[in-house]
Amino acid sequence: SVNFRESPDGRNMLVTFDMAGVKKQDMHVSYRTGRLVISWHVERTVERADADGVPVREREVRRYSHTIPLPEGTKFEEVRASRDGQRLTLTLPNSRCVRAGVEAEEELAGSPRTIPDIDVRSSL
């Protein structure tokens, strides 16, 4: 399941994926201009004997992918990913805050303000 919510200060969007049963090496987050692509797969192997006692091994692989559009102008450095137990959490700039915040700052200060860089924490 996927959950979208704003951070308490409203500056970021927190996207949480329930990744129960997904190994760290089986998930991938990639940055593409204008979007994030999250992909993962789950493998399951079942061994049993058929009616004649012959061993049977069944392998099932399910692949998933989720694309999240990013606010215009979002830089790679502004996106963070972390894994806490069975959840993958992505932190990205909130599109409402980026547009409204920069325009408001320009009007107040008279000069453009850049969004501070955020360290990318690659705990994946």
Side-chain angles (χ1 to χ4, degrees):
S1 67
V2 182
N3 181 23
F4 291 83
R5 64 184 167 89
E6 282 187 347
S7 62
D9 65 4
R11 293 183 179 266
N12 294 309
M13 181 63 65
L14 303 174
V15 184
T16 306
F17 289 85
D18 181 16
M19 295 288 200
V22 180
K23 297 175 186 170
K24 183 176 170 181
Q25 64 269 19
D26 294 338
M27 64 176 73
H28 183 73
V29 178
S30 61
Y31 175 86
R32 311 255 170 99
T33 303
R35 66 185 190 270
L36 282 179
V37 178
I38 300 88
S39 56
W40 66 97
H41 68 273
V42 178
E43 294 184 30
R44 185 177 72 151
T45 303
V46 177
E47 295 183 19
R48 61 179 174 82
D50 68 2
D52 298 326
V54 177
V56 176
R57 179 181 292 163
E58 296 177 351
R59 183 172 172 241
E60 178 184 13
V61 179
R62 292 186 181 200
R63 298 187 185 278
Y64 302 91
S65 179
H66 196 89
T67 302
I68 300 173
L70 295 171
E72 188 175 328
T74 300
K75 297 176 186 173
F76 175 76
E77 295 81 17
E78 297 173 320
V79 178
R80 292 186 317 218
S82 64
R83 180 157 179 188
D84 179 22
Q86 299 297 318
R87 290 181 299 196
L88 170 68
T89 302
L90 302 173
T91 304
L92 19 136
N94 189 341
S95 61
R96 291 186 305 169
C97 185
V98 170
R99 277 187 249 135
V102 172
E103 290 172 6
E105 290 290 332
E106 287 177 5
E107 290 175 11
L108 292 175
S111 62
R113 180 177 173 193
T114 58
I115 298 171
D117 290 336
I118 298 173
D119 291 335
V120 176
R121 297 173 199 243
S122 179
S123 62
L124 299 177

